[in-house]
Amino acid sequence: DQPPSFFPYSGQLPEGETRDLGELVEVHIQGVFAADNEQSKSLFVLVSDGDRKLPIVIGPFEAQAISLPLENAQPDRPMTHDLIRNLLDRLAATVERVVIDDLWNGIYYAKLYVKRGKEEFEIDARPSDAIALAVRFDAPVFVADGILEAGSEE
């Protein structure tokens, strides 16, 4: 049993097998939050379709990368996601949308859809990185309905 491929040329599903987690649903980023338990503090980004909420656990650097643009704060120097934004801007490319479309062993998988001219590229990404870029490009975020349903039940 292997996780979904993060790279386009390995780990593909066997011929004839498909994974359908439902239609894509647009969600909105509610913010970055912390939850304390007895042993540790967890950070998560919360997305919601208005009725259901999906918390996605993230690290402290990813939390900062998402929080700063949400708060309209600008660091003294560009962070990694700002650098990616600058590179894509210089290449006349834009992030069109983010899709969180797979779940395996409690881990979410996402894709960036980057457009340059008439060509669109699908790029595998961690959901936290994809969301950090979506915020910078004001791009919509979509989640497969089955993932949103499963995540809101937890």
Side-chain angles (χ1 to χ4, degrees):
D1 199 20
Q2 292 199 353
S5 173
F6 238 130
F7 303 101
Y9 305 110
S10 65
Q12 298 298 317
L13 287 172
E15 193 171 325
E17 267 191 58
T18 59
R19 239 176 111 82
D20 183 11
L21 292 171
E23 295 292 318
L24 296 179
V25 177
E26 187 169 2
V27 296
H28 299 282
I29 302 162
Q30 301 296 301
V32 175
F33 301 94
D36 290 318
N37 65 28
E38 294 176 13
Q39 287 91 13
S40 65
K41 180 178 183 177
S42 297
L43 297 169
F44 61 94
V45 60
L46 185 66
V47 298
S48 172
D49 69 349
D51 295 322
R52 300 170 291 181
K53 296 178 183 339
L54 176 67
I56 301 171
V57 177
I58 58 177
F61 298 113
E62 294 81 5
Q64 184 182 35
I66 295 168
S67 294
L68 286 176
L70 284 176
E71 297 166 359
N72 293 317
Q74 194 163 8
D76 294 335
R77 298 181 62 185
M79 295 177 62
T80 303
H81 297 89
D82 300 317
L83 171 65
I84 294 169
R85 165 74 200 238
N86 292 340
L87 286 167
L88 290 173
D89 283 345
R90 291 288 181 124
L91 294 170
T94 185
V95 173
E96 291 290 303
R97 67 191 176 284
V98 164
V99 174
I100 300 170
D101 63 351
D102 211 344
L103 173 63
W104 188 81
N105 277 355
I107 308 234
Y108 299 104
Y109 290 80
K111 291 180 181 70
L112 287 171
Y113 287 86
V114 176
K115 191 169 187 175
R116 182 169 186 243
K118 293 180 181 180
E119 197 168 11
E120 186 174 72
F121 304 92
E122 179 184 285
I123 302 168
D124 286 319
R126 297 184 306 175
S128 56
D129 291 328
I131 290 169
L133 287 168
V135 171
R136 285 165 174 77
F137 280 91
D138 198 26
V141 177
F142 296 90
V143 176
D145 188 62
I147 292 172
L148 193 55
E149 195 62 38
S152 65
E153 290 173 0
E154 291 178 2

